[in-house]
Amino acid sequence: MERLRTGRFWLGFYTLAVMAFLIYLPIVLLITFSFNDSTIMSLPWSGFTLKWYEKILERPDLLESLLNSLWVALIVTAVSLVLGVLAANAMARYRYRGRILFTGYVSIPFVMPWLILGISLLLFFNWVGIQLSMFTVILSHISFTTPLVAVLVAARLHQFEPDLDSAARDLGCNALDAFRLVTFPIIAPAVIAAGILAFNWSFDAFVVTHFVIGSEVTFPIWVWSALRYPRNLPIINAVSSIIIVVEMGLIFLAEWLRRRGGGERLL
Amino acid sequence: MSNREITLEVRELTKRFGSLVAVDHVSFEIRRGEFFSLLGPSGSGKTTILRMVGGLLTPDEGQVFLGGKDITFDPPEKRDVNIVFQNYALFPHLNVYDNVAFGPRRHRWPEAKIREEVTRLLEMVHLTGYEQKYPRQLSGGEKQRVALIRALITRPQLLLLDEPLGALDLKIRQSLQLELVDIQEETGITFIYVTHDQSEALTMADRLAVMDKGRVLQIGDPKTIYEQPQNRFVAHFIGNTNMLEGKVAAVEGQDVRVRVPKLGEFWGRPLDGADVRPGQSVTMSIRPEKMRISRQEPERPGYNKIAGVVEDLIYVGVSTEFIVRVSPVKTLRIFAQNISREDDLWQITWDDPVWVYWRPERSLVLVE
Ligand SMILES: Nc1ncnc2c1ncn2[C@@H]1O[C@H](COP(=O)(O)OP(=O)(O)OP(=O)(O)O)[C@@H](O)[C@H]1O
Ligand SMILES: [Mg+2]
């Protein structure tokens, strides 16, 4: 029995170690080499430098793509938060109608390959006759961040009794006050967490964006095209390092907010 | 009581969910200050009625009047009616004080008055000192009491309680039952108390409505419902009863002779005004405490009697419950007080041949 337990412990330990190695080592390497004074990403170490970080500012194409990704992600986050919260709220209240349809829609971003999603969105825009542009990028991102928000917020709502909204109405709130004073405070931690995740998903989106973007460039698209020239590599490293740090910070913030609100663990 | 004013009137109220008729043309009136109970098995439509009265559901047909005013389509916040929900529905992000103060704040009471009232009500339900606690830190009974005073504090004309004690264990239930009746008398607020526990309804309510499958089967005070159930369902659902099924053999004045296959013929009495004819199928309902048991054949002219064998007996202190087999497919249940001077009740034991007998007017003849 004791043997078995230590055996299990070591199995778990190795699994974690391997996963950490696979996930974190490349990130550590990437960040490390962003400070390396060489265009080649290999040892020996050629000395510490911040010049790749300075170079970021000298690349208007890079800056423009970052800016594009930022405002796209902001709009996508705002819209998908509103839609996702409404969807989750409606589903928590009307539990009998449209359940299956909703479940199907909400699982799209988790089960559908990005490639398929990208192709079908492209076909859809062609069919409707919408010119590809940042607008189509925003629409596409909203199509998969809204279910993400809805799932997270619905999970939070389901932890509580369905009658809370009714109780608020019963005690003298109109529909808006009931949402403002009861439903929203309860789902707020999940909403903030969902917003951060939606922002990340949109900011990161490459595959779908690749299909539906016009002549403009978002950051992931810029990276993809810049990779064709090896001399860009250190700059990509530098900018990626910044993004990694910011995103990790956001994710931890989201998780902290969720736990503080008594939610289920996300990670 | 009869000429007191009507607080709530519900007229032909109907609600359908798809093809299911959850509430089926229900009508009743509730007088001011009354403790009225809606009693019925799970799924009989009790909660649905409360939600329509409270404005959380719109009826498909029918009307709701509060204090004579038609409120059928008023939103919940405009109705002078509050609900204590089946699962309490306390706001998890607010402490006890803010939960109770929620209604008064919506009604723009001054904060000083709110403080005074919340403190007074918390004291009334023995929760002084709980102001800063959150719902997740409360026991079931404590949550129930917070939910009650939260709904009560604004003094609505009508309070709707949806199985408020359903989730609690017997001990707490019983003490809270008494507390609730006291509170109702003290505040004078009209209560509609939903339950599927018949003993709760019988002990607490001034009047009750027995429901099944969305319909109201009978409305009356506990004694009438118990002694004169209108039909088989009510007789069976309220208290214990023995049922004998047969056909009417003869009608003589008030009394009816019923032939029960394989058991014989028995005299019984239908409810006033019931139309009973020879040949009709009827059910006799006889309460266990109205039957007597003896080892000798009773010498009582006019009594109904039947021979059987004691299959089981359960001694419960003040009384003894006998299960007597009177045919291969039928047993009767008899409650006997343990004070009988006229009988040898004490000596009756398992497998004894016995006689069960009762007065004709004790067997109620039911048509439905
Ligand atoms: N929103 C709804 N959609 C569909 N059917 C419903 C809905 N609400 C209730 N029902 C159905 O209507 C019937 C009556 O339900 P209701 O909740 O009024 O019963 P109840 O008497 O309160 O039962 P319980 O004692 O279990 O609380 C049930 O068959 C229930 O399944
Ligand atoms: Mg119910």
Side-chain angles (χ1 to χ4, degrees):
Chain A
M1 193 60 212
E2 194 56 31
R3 278 268 284 289
L4 193 67
R5 206 174 297 155
T6 32
R8 282 222 192 110
F9 169 78
W10 286 111
L11 187 66
F13 180 81
Y14 283 129
T15 314
L16 268 181
V18 168
M19 279 182 35
F21 186 77
L22 284 177
I23 294 170
Y24 289 116
L25 189 73
I27 294 179
V28 172
L29 282 179
L30 184 143
I31 296 177
T32 313
F33 278 103
S34 71
F35 297 107
N36 188 17
D37 193 3
S38 157
T39 50
I40 314 162
M41 233 184 110
S42 72
L43 294 171
W45 185 255
S46 342
F48 181 86
T49 178
L50 285 176
K51 77 172 175 208
W52 306 121
Y53 285 86
E54 285 154 16
K55 282 239 168 90
I56 294 174
L57 298 173
E58 295 161 16
R59 294 288 298 263
D61 54 335
L62 164 56
L63 289 177
E64 195 197 320
S65 77
L66 268 177
L67 218 62
N68 279 342
S69 277
L70 266 178
W71 69 261
V72 164
L74 281 176
I75 294 176
V76 166
T77 305
V79 175
S80 60
L81 275 183
V82 173
L83 296 179
V85 167
L86 287 178
N89 206 35
M91 287 321 294
R93 207 160 332 151
Y94 309 106
R95 273 169 300 159
Y96 292 86
R97 266 170 282 166
R99 232 293 130 76
I100 297 173
L101 210 71
F102 179 73
T103 313
Y105 169 59
V106 140
S107 49
I108 283 177
F110 304 101
V111 300
M112 173 120 48
W114 296 121
L115 199 65
I116 309 284
L117 193 62
I119 292 172
S120 39
L121 282 165
L122 175 63
L123 289 176
F124 172 76
F125 291 134
N126 274 338
W127 179 66
V128 184
I130 303 180
Q131 281 275 310
L132 296 184
S133 66
M134 289 313 248
F135 178 66
T136 49
V137 172
I138 290 173
L139 280 186
S140 305
H141 287 192
I142 289 171
S143 79
F144 60 80
T145 51
T146 300
L148 172 73
V149 173
V151 163
L152 294 174
V153 174
R156 174 83 181 165
L157 274 177
H158 281 302
Q159 292 174 351
F160 295 102
E161 293 131 28
D163 282 333
L164 292 178
D165 176 80
S166 301
R169 296 294 306 270
D170 188 58
L171 293 169
C173 288
N174 58 31
L176 201 67
D177 280 344
F179 183 78
R180 186 171 63 84
L181 294 170
V182 174
T183 309
F184 190 75
I186 290 172
I187 62 176
V191 171
I192 295 170
I196 292 172
L197 283 178
F199 183 91
N200 271 341
W201 276 32
S202 166
F203 193 86
D204 278 349
F206 171 70
V207 179
V208 172
T209 313
H210 185 62
F211 280 98
V212 298
I213 198 163
S215 54
E216 284 140 304
V217 173
T218 63
F219 177 67
I221 303 280
W222 179 86
V223 171
W224 182 72
S225 50
L227 276 173
R228 269 175 292 178
Y229 307 100
R231 61 184 167 78
N232 285 333
L233 204 56
I235 304 180
I236 296 175
N237 277 355
V239 73
S240 303
S241 302
I242 296 175
I243 290 167
I244 285 168
V245 170
V246 172
E247 288 200 354
M248 295 269 255
L250 285 177
I251 299 258
F252 282 121
L253 180 68
E255 181 59 9
W256 180 76
L257 283 169
R258 273 176 61 96
R259 287 201 203 163
R260 200 185 61 146
E264 293 291 301
R265 279 160 176 235
L266 189 64
L267 299 174
Chain B
M1 187 190 270
S2 58
N3 36 11
R4 273 205 255 167
E5 61 186 292
I6 302 298
T7 292
L8 178 79
E9 184 188 350
V10 155
R11 214 180 274 168
E12 297 291 313
L13 208 57
T14 300
K15 182 73 192 178
R16 300 183 189 87
F17 295 112
S19 61
L20 173 86
V21 188
V23 174
D24 193 0
H25 297 89
V26 163
S27 303
F28 54 80
E29 289 182 351
I30 299 175
R31 302 173 194 125
R32 177 169 304 287
E34 197 170 21
F35 195 124
F36 187 87
S37 182
L38 279 177
L39 174 66
S42 191
S44 54
K46 307 179 297 290
T47 298
T48 308
I49 291 179
L50 284 199
R51 297 185 87 88
M52 288 191 283
V53 173
L56 301 172
L57 263 183
T58 314
D60 293 324
E61 288 171 36
Q63 288 154 293
V64 180
F65 297 89
L66 185 70
K69 193 170 142 269
D70 186 344
I71 57 160
T72 314
F73 298 105
D74 287 0
E77 68 271 21
K78 293 259 153 40
R79 300 182 183 208
D80 199 10
V81 174
N82 283 352
I83 304 182
V84 179
F85 288 86
Q86 199 160 2
N87 44 18
Y88 319 131
L90 296 178
F91 303 129
H93 62 299
L94 300 179
N95 62 23
V96 168
Y97 183 92
D98 291 332
N99 262 283
V100 180
F102 193 91
R105 283 184 182 143
R106 295 291 91 212
H107 289 86
R108 313 208 175 285
W109 286 16
E111 201 62 32
K113 183 180 171 198
I114 295 177
R115 178 160 299 276
E116 191 179 309
E117 270 301 278
V118 174
T119 309
R120 199 180 67 76
L121 287 176
L122 282 173
E123 193 184 313
M124 179 175 82
V125 295
H126 317 298
L127 288 177
T128 305
Y130 278 64
E131 286 83 353
Q132 305 304 321
K133 288 205 179 192
Y134 282 84
R136 63 173 181 277
Q137 300 167 308
L138 303 179
S139 74
E142 290 162 354
K143 280 187 200 162
Q144 198 285 322
R145 294 192 298 228
V146 175
L148 176 70
I149 60 173
R150 181 180 73 174
L152 207 67
I153 188 166
T154 51
R155 303 278 164 152
Q157 282 194 52
L158 178 64
L159 193 67
L160 310 175
L161 301 100
D162 196 354
E163 302 197 29
L165 309 180
L168 305 174
D169 63 44
L170 193 65
K171 264 254 160 61
I172 305 177
R173 272 181 92 98
Q174 287 171 342
S175 76
L176 284 177
Q177 280 174 11
L178 296 176
E179 223 172 284
L180 266 178
V181 173
D182 284 349
I183 288 170
Q184 198 262 341
E185 277 168 9
E186 200 179 309
T187 56
I189 295 174
T190 312
F191 273 30
I192 300 185
Y193 187 95
V194 164
T195 177
H196 60 242
D197 178 343
Q198 46 99 9
S199 71
E200 199 166 87
L202 288 180
T203 51
M204 297 172 80
D206 296 325
R207 286 194 310 143
L208 56 142
V210 183
M211 296 193 58
D212 185 38
K213 302 199 180 83
R215 303 174 134 263
V216 168
L217 299 182
Q218 188 170 357
I219 299 180
D221 59 86
K223 189 158 178 246
T224 310
I225 300 261
Y226 186 78
E227 300 285 346
Q228 294 169 312
Q230 296 282 339
N231 54 44
R232 294 171 48 105
F233 181 87
V234 176
H236 193 74
F237 193 69
I238 309 289
N240 289 299
T241 195
N242 294 294
M243 301 259 198
L244 297 173
E245 274 133 39
K247 280 205 161 57
V248 175
V251 180
E252 278 182 23
Q254 274 193 306
D255 293 329
V256 175
R257 186 151 47 90
V258 177
R259 180 174 303 127
V260 179
K262 300 200 175 72
L263 289 181
E265 293 194 348
F266 304 96
W267 287 94
R269 193 168 285 179
L271 292 165
D272 291 344
D275 183 22
V276 183
R277 298 201 180 120
Q280 198 173 0
S281 293
V282 292
T283 303
M284 286 184 136
S285 159
I286 313 112
R287 298 285 184 195
E289 73 277 11
K290 317 245 158 160
M291 288 178 153
R292 302 219 205 137
I293 185 167
S294 149
R295 289 206 291 188
Q296 286 92 43
E297 181 166 0
E299 309 277 329
R300 291 175 187 251
Y303 271 56
N304 290 311
K305 62 185 175 185
I306 184 168
V309 172
V310 174
E311 188 166 284
D312 207 350
L313 62 89
I314 302 147
Y315 178 78
V316 277
V318 296
S319 65
T320 305
E321 180 180 348
F322 296 91
I323 308 287
V324 177
R325 182 159 293 284
V326 293
S327 90
V329 293
K330 187 83 196 165
T331 57
L332 297 177
R333 176 189 258 208
I334 298 116
F335 296 152
Q337 293 282 315
N338 289 337
I339 43 157
S340 186
R341 268 166 297 162
E342 68 210 272
D343 210 270
D344 51 351
L345 207 60
W346 292 99
Q347 269 116 59
I348 299 176
T349 181
W350 279 270
D351 297 329
D352 276 359
V354 290
W355 286 88
V356 175
Y357 60 101
W358 68 96
R359 293 156 73 113
E361 62 267 30
R362 301 295 196 200
S363 43
L364 191 62
V365 176
L366 299 170
V367 187
E368 286 171 48

